[in-house]
Amino acid sequence: MRRRFPAGPDVAVDELLAGLSAEPSGGPLRVGDPRIVDFLVAFARKLLAPATARRFPELASLGFFLRRGEITKVLAGPSRAGVFRFPRGLVFHVPPANVDTIFVYSWALSALAGNRNVVRISPRSAGAASAVVDALNEALATADPVVAQTQVMVTYDRDESVTAALSAACDLRVIWGGDRAVTEVRRAPLAPHARDVTFPDRASFAAISVDGWAAASSSVRRDAVVGFYNDSYWFDQAACASPRALFWVGDAAGAARGRDEFLALLSSVLAAKGHVVEPAMAVQKRVSAYGVAADGHARSVRFDGNAVALLELSSAAEVPREWLGAGTFPLATLPSLGAFASLVERKDQTLSVFGFSQEELESLAFDLAGRGIDRIVPFGSALTFSPLWDGYDLLAEFTRLVTVKA
């Protein structure tokens, strides 16, 4: 295995596990251990450096998530007399390659919970993932030695024996990357006491209230479109929380007017951002869009250059959930949020919204009753990671509770 963090020579899995099982200098980690907190704060500063943030804007969000104030909020959970929270043990993370910074969020939360961690970084990860690893190694220079002794990130090809050894040794396994990845990794058995936290294939959507759009000022509308751009175009719309379709909720005439203005604003935002579409992505979008139409699920297909593809769905119930290419948006108009609730499936994760009231959205959540959509967030927040993700309270998943009563 290639040792990415701490940087060093290649390492065998047995050697890696032996090092992680040794008692750390300075004593074992605790939940909210200040040695880990200080390291993460130093790491965040490097991500927020102007040169890094300009090159990889998504890393700025990660940097804000790991500021000391935010970490304090994460750790400030409810307490109960005689109930104590402790690390779960060794956590093995298998993140996806297509969203190459997601591993940092789950690893950081697990480290804050006091766990020893092994993260497998895909050989296909590049760009932002490499910048993250560089920043981690730079921050290690001033960190307590316990960080290097308990936190490891490696890269290896699909070697079932390595995955099996890490799975057998861990107390918790975190698997991202879709149904296929989850199924493949699960072939490696866990110890009887261990368990999985899985993040399989998910689909997400966006919804705009026709009345809310009409009532908003021009500046608020533009801010909403900027947020929609961030939700959709970061990670080439491949993130599980990126919207795969856009619903307008309200009367059809108002929706038609809103759509035209929305598209014009999106085009201006794309131009202002200097968004460039790679030729392969432009081809992908056309193949996918015409494929949906050929299957009878879309009445029309419209392209705005190479950056935007709009598909008017034949029926809202036929909304595609698979990735169609960055900037590809199936469209439908719904009379109410209740009509959206009838479309939701268990695999649906995030609904990013604009123009609805808190009461409307809470009513939708109760209509759904947990059978789909784990997150309802405003435009611009779809990709903002939270310790509450995919219906999990991750800090709770990464810790064990011990009760003490005299």
Side-chain angles (χ1 to χ4, degrees), residues 371-389:
R371 58 184 175 81
I373 299 294
D374 301 311
R375 305 170 65 236
I376 302 175
V377 298
F379 278 13
S381 298
L383 301 181
T384 301
F385 194 83
S386 163
L388 303 180
W389 192 265

Side-chain angles (χ1 to χ4, degrees), residues 204-206 225 228-234 236-237 242-248 259 262-263 266-267 270 275 285 288-289 292 298 300-304 306-313 319-320 322 324-332 352:
S204 296
F205 309 106
V225 175
F228 181 83
Y229 164 86
N230 292 337
D231 291 343
S232 303
Y233 286 86
W234 284 5
D236 286 337
Q237 209 175 339
S242 293
R244 300 279 171 88
L246 174 60
F247 295 99
W248 287 79
R259 284 184 187 182
F262 186 89
L263 178 60
L266 182 58
S267 297
L270 287 161
H275 183 76
K285 290 162 64 170
S288 298
V292 172
S300 65
V301 177
R302 173 183 173 186
F303 295 97
D304 184 16
N306 286 331
V308 181
L310 303 176
L311 291 72
E312 181 70 34
L313 294 175
V319 59
E322 68 273 15
L324 300 175
T328 305
F329 304 108
L331 301 171
S352 48

Side-chain angles (χ1 to χ4, degrees), residues 336-397:
S336 66
L337 280 176
F340 173 77
S342 67
L343 307 176
V344 170
E345 299 179 0
R346 186 63 196 92
K347 72 181 295 181
D348 298 334
Q349 185 213 57
T350 298
L351 178 66
S352 48
V353 295
F354 176 80
F356 299 96
S357 69
Q358 179 74 15
E359 291 74 18
E360 288 177 298
L361 298 177
E362 289 181 2
S363 178
L364 171 62
F366 278 95
D367 287 344
L368 292 168
R371 58 184 175 81
I373 299 294
D374 301 311
R375 305 170 65 236
I376 302 175
V377 298
F379 278 13
S381 298
L383 301 181
T384 301
F385 194 83
S386 163
L388 303 180
W389 192 265
D390 259 18
Y392 291 113
D393 180 339
L394 288 177
L395 195 63
E397 297 294 332

Side-chain angles (χ1 to χ4, degrees), residues 13-357:
V13 66
D14 291 345
E15 180 186 352
L16 179 75
L17 290 172
L20 286 168
S21 65
E23 181 72 16
S25 59
L29 294 175
R30 305 278 185 169
V31 176
D33 197 294
R35 296 169 292 179
I36 294 294
V37 172
D38 290 345
F39 171 70
L40 291 176
V41 170
F43 167 54
R45 291 195 193 102
K46 296 189 180 300
L47 296 181
L48 292 170
T52 302
R54 280 195 301 269
R55 188 178 177 194
F56 301 106
E58 64 270 33
L59 296 187
S61 297
L62 175 57
F64 280 109
F65 179 76
L66 294 176
R67 290 178 302 166
R68 192 177 297 276
E70 296 301 311
I71 290 174
T72 300
K73 293 177 187 177
V74 168
L75 295 172
S79 60
R80 289 176 284 172
V83 179
F84 303 95
R85 193 177 293 276
F86 293 98
R88 190 169 285 273
L90 176 63
V91 182
F92 175 32
H93 304 257
V94 187
N98 63 335
V99 185
D100 55 7
T101 56
I102 195 71
F103 74 89
V104 188
Y105 289 97
S106 63
W107 160 75
L109 285 171
S110 182
L112 284 171
N115 292 304
R116 293 165 289 126
N117 291 277
V118 179
V119 183
R120 177 191 183 264
I121 303 175
S122 170
R124 295 185 287 127
S125 292
S130 296
V132 162
V133 173
D134 290 344
L136 284 167
N137 281 300
E138 290 172 11
L140 193 62
T142 56
D144 189 283
V146 74
V147 177
Q149 294 166 1
T150 59
Q151 313 299 318
V152 178
M153 299 180 187
V154 295
T155 293
Y156 62 91
D157 292 327
R158 293 185 180 276
D159 187 325
E160 293 183 3
S161 65
V162 174
T163 298
L166 294 173
S167 296
C170 74
D171 300 287
L172 182 73
R173 184 170 58 186
V174 183
I175 313 171
W176 303 76
D179 295 353
R180 182 177 177 183
V182 170
T183 300
E184 287 182 356
V185 175
R186 273 183 163 170
R187 289 177 184 149
L190 295 169
H193 71 275
R195 56 176 300 201
D196 281 326
V197 171
T198 61
F199 299 92
D201 286 333
R202 306 303 300 269
S204 296
F205 309 106
I208 298 176
S209 165
V210 172
D211 291 341
W213 180 265
S217 66
S218 58
S219 62
V220 170
R221 292 178 189 175
R222 182 174 177 83
D223 288 344
V225 175
V226 171
F228 181 83
Y229 164 86
N230 292 337
D231 291 343
S232 303
Y233 286 86
W234 284 5
F235 307 116
D236 286 337
Q237 209 175 339
C240 58
S242 293
R244 300 279 171 88
L246 174 60
F247 295 99
W248 287 79
V249 180
D251 70 278
R257 292 191 297 271
R259 284 184 187 182
D260 290 341
E261 182 181 11
F262 186 89
L263 178 60
L265 286 170
L266 182 58
S267 297
S268 69
V269 170
L270 287 161
K273 298 286 186 181
H275 183 76
V276 176
V277 181
E278 298 295 331
M281 184 64 72
V283 172
Q284 168 72 39
K285 290 162 64 170
R286 280 165 170 74
V287 171
S288 298
Y290 288 129
V292 172
D295 290 338
H297 303 314
R299 291 197 297 263
S300 65
V301 177
R302 173 183 173 186
F303 295 97
D304 184 16
N306 286 331
V308 181
L310 303 176
L311 291 72
E312 181 70 34
L313 294 175
S314 302
S315 166
E318 299 181 67
V319 59
R321 285 171 164 80
E322 68 273 15
W323 180 76
L324 300 175
T328 305
F329 304 108
L331 301 171
T333 300
L334 298 171
S336 66
L337 280 176
F340 173 77
S342 67
L343 307 176
V344 170
E345 299 179 0
R346 186 63 196 92
K347 72 181 295 181
D348 298 334
Q349 185 213 57
T350 298
L351 178 66
S352 48
V353 295
F354 176 80
F356 299 96
S357 69

